[in-house]
């Protein structure tokens, strides 16, 4: 491509929005190194750290999402939205993008709303099987809607929908023997030991942390498995205090895991929330997984996501209410069942869409008429 084109990518709040956005950015730069990219996120959210770490420029908006538990905080929401719309107009005026990509979540709303209103070609990506509020509001204004699940005509105009899958980090792959051994060395897993990865995502999950703590107290220092435990930055101090009080060489605590590719490779079984981005990575890694959908998400979309895999016999599910009594035992039973593990791994791997980022970039190019 001769001329340089400009792309603005907006979204964030959680890793489920950020990492697919970064995967798309990497794909654009791989195909078109001269393209200019700018990210727009929400002030104070993790994208303001993660995106620059990947080498991209980002501007933050003062936008915030609807607070379902702290209702008084919503009184400031109209002011924040108004300020974000004003700043979005200025960003678009200064950067003059050829196309805008929205990744969902409240962080993408103002930018895509203004961009579509100005006639800039717009594409949004919906990661979940149950569409989010922001993307449903934007659906009539944008040109193309990339989705990861079928039957999304419930939420979006059929003629705009493209089934592309969810982009994932390029280093997430099925683990052969060498990668598996590298992962186990990286996390200090002794040879022959079964390993369970417990990850509540980048922000952590209190339920998971309590389950691991209860398991440690029950098993003592002689548990039959190693646990790689991503507790989340929010719970860092509490979990570090726990490990200091209840040390065990089989318990490997990490507030945040940067090398998730090696964590997946090392693990025999994964315990996870069922955000769309995490599911896409687990499909690519081909990992047996026990999902515990978060109850603190809009429209209970994580349960919809998880059940889409359970129906394909590609995952197990334990509800939040069942977790304290059943989660660890369910994961341990699975870890000790080679046939079930192999079956789940085969089935989840079949659901992987390794070319999702490329497919979305192709849809972007269609909007640019290239």
């Amino acid at each position: 491509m001769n001329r340089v084109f400009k792309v603005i990518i907006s979204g964030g709040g959680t890793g489920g929005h950020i990492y697919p956005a970064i995967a798309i950015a990497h794909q654009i730069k791989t195909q078109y190194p001269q393209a200019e990219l700018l990210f727009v996120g929400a002030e104070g959210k993790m994208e303001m750290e993660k995106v620059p770490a990947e080498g991209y420029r980002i501007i933050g908006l003062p936008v915030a999402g609807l607070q379902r538990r702290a209702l008084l905080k919503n009184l400031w929401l109209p002011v924040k939205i108004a300020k974000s719309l004003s700043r979005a107009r200025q960003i678009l005026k200064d950067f003059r993008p050829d196309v805008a990509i929205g990744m969902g979540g409240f962080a993408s709303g103002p930018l895509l709303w203004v961009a579509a209103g100005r006639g800039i070609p717009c594409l949004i990506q919906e990661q979940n099987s149950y569409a989010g509020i922001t993307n449903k509001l934007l659906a009539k204004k944008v040109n193309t809607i990339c989705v990861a699940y079928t039957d999304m005509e419930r939420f979006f105009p059929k003629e705009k929908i493209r089934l592309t899958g969810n982009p994932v980090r390029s280093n997430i792959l099925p683990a052969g023997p060498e990668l598996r051994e590298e992962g186990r060395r990286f996390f200090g897993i002794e040879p022959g030991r079964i390993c369970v990865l417990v990850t509540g995502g980048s922000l952590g999950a209190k339920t998971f942390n309590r389950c691991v703590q209860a398991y440690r107290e029950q098993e003592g220092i002689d548990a039959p498995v190693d646990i790689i435990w991503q507790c989340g930055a929010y719970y860092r101090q509490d979990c570090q205090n726990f490990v200091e009080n209840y040390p065990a060489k089989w318990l490997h605590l990490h507030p945040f895991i940067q090398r998730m590719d090696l964590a997946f490779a090392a693990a025999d079984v994964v315990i996870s929330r069922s955000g769309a981005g995490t599911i896409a990575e687990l499909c690519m890694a081909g990992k047996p997984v026990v999902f515990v959908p978060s109850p603190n998400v809009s429209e209970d979309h994580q349960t919809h996501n998880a059940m889409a895999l359970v129906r394909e016999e590609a995952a197990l599910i334990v509800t939040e209410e069942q977790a304290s009594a059943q989660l660890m035992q369910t994961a341990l039973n699975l870890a000790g069942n080679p046939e079930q593990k192999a079956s789940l791994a085969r089935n989840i791997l079949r659901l992987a869409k390794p070319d999702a980022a490329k497919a979305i970039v192709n849809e972007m190019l269609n909007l640019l008429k290239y």
Side-chain angles (χ1 to χ4, degrees):
M1 186 178 298
N2 293 326
R3 87 176 183 90
V4 174
F5 62 92
K6 296 182 176 182
V7 183
I8 199 162
I9 303 176
S10 187
T14 67
H17 292 303
I18 297 165
Y19 292 121
I22 292 172
I24 292 170
H26 286 344
Q27 185 65 39
I28 293 171
K29 295 297 283 186
T30 296
Q31 293 182 226
Y32 305 101
Q34 300 304 313
E36 294 184 28
L37 274 62
L38 174 66
F39 280 76
V40 175
E43 291 177 348
K45 297 298 182 181
M46 63 182 295
E47 60 265 25
M48 304 307 294
E49 174 188 347
K50 301 300 180 186
V51 169
E54 295 291 334
Y56 299 107
R57 185 161 69 99
I58 186 169
I59 299 174
L61 301 179
V63 66
L66 185 67
Q67 300 293 317
R68 292 175 173 82
R69 294 186 175 182
L71 297 180
L72 287 177
K73 292 183 179 181
N74 292 325
L75 294 175
W76 289 101
L77 194 56
V79 175
K80 291 182 177 182
I81 291 174
K83 288 183 177 179
S84 296
L85 289 168
S86 177
R87 192 174 296 179
R89 294 186 190 99
Q90 189 62 49
I91 291 170
L92 292 170
K93 181 180 178 181
D94 294 340
F95 187 65
R96 299 174 64 85
D98 295 288
V99 63
I101 298 175
M103 301 303 297
F106 62 83
S108 68
L111 193 286
L112 269 292
W113 187 269
V114 175
R118 293 191 171 187
I120 297 169
C122 291
L123 176 154
I124 58 175
Q125 203 247 336
E126 175 55 60
Q127 292 106 31
N128 293 295
S129 61
Y130 199 99
I133 294 172
T134 301
N135 278 346
K136 285 191 284 189
L137 290 172
L138 292 170
K140 290 184 179 180
K141 295 178 70 71
V142 303
N143 304 89
T144 301
I145 303 168
C146 294
V147 301
Y149 294 88
T150 58
D151 196 30
M152 296 303 284
E153 296 86 355
R154 295 175 293 159
F155 311 107
F156 304 131
K158 184 177 181 179
E159 67 276 7
K160 296 184 179 183
I161 295 175
R162 307 290 185 271
L163 182 61
T164 58
N166 284 325
V168 301
R169 290 171 277 192
S170 59
N171 61 352
I172 304 296
L173 299 167
E178 290 184 6
L179 185 59
R180 174 177 166 80
E181 287 307 310
E182 181 183 356
R184 293 173 72 87
R185 285 196 303 271
F186 184 89
F187 288 99
I189 311 300
E190 293 183 3
R193 294 274 292 179
I194 291 175
C195 177
V196 175
L197 168 63
V198 180
T199 170
S202 54
L203 302 179
K206 182 186 290 187
T207 297
F208 289 10
N209 294 339
R210 286 177 173 172
C211 286
V212 173
Q213 290 170 354
Y215 179 72
R216 164 63 185 88
E217 291 171 344
Q218 172 187 321
E219 293 296 322
I221 62 172
D222 297 319
V225 302
D226 275 48
I227 294 177
I228 301 173
W229 176 17
Q230 179 176 270
C231 67
Y234 185 79
Y235 302 102
R236 175 198 300 260
Q237 194 58 56
D238 174 68
C239 294
Q240 286 180 339
N241 290 342
F242 177 85
V243 169
E244 290 174 4
N245 291 328
Y246 297 92
K249 64 180 182 178
W250 53 265
L251 192 55
H252 310 270
L253 175 67
H254 300 267
F256 180 78
I257 297 175
Q258 191 69 39
R259 292 300 306 272
M260 190 57 75
D261 58 322
L262 295 182
F264 286 151
D268 295 280
V269 169
V270 179
I271 293 173
S272 175
R273 292 301 197 193
S274 47
T278 299
I279 286 180
E281 292 193 340
L282 287 164
C283 289
M284 285 295 296
K287 280 294 158 180
V289 57
V290 181
F291 286 126
V292 185
S294 171
N296 304 314
V297 295
S298 61
E299 310 293 349
D300 196 27
H301 69 254
Q302 287 205 7
T303 296
H304 292 279
N305 292 348
M307 288 306 301
L309 274 73
V310 172
R311 286 192 291 269
E312 297 292 332
E313 299 183 351
L316 304 181
I317 188 171
V318 171
T319 68
E320 184 85 355
E321 294 75 18
Q322 296 168 333
S324 60
Q326 299 182 22
L327 179 57
M328 295 306 297
Q329 194 58 52
T330 299
L332 293 172
N333 290 345
L334 175 58
N337 188 329
E339 291 184 2
Q340 189 180 24
K341 278 194 300 184
S343 176
L344 290 176
R346 283 194 304 270
N347 292 342
I348 199 170
L349 189 59
R350 281 201 292 264
L351 301 176
K353 288 186 167 57
D355 296 323
K358 187 173 183 179
I360 291 170
V361 171
N362 287 339
E363 293 298 335
M364 179 200 76
L365 294 173
N366 288 338
L367 294 181
L368 292 172
K369 308 265 191 296
Y370 290 121

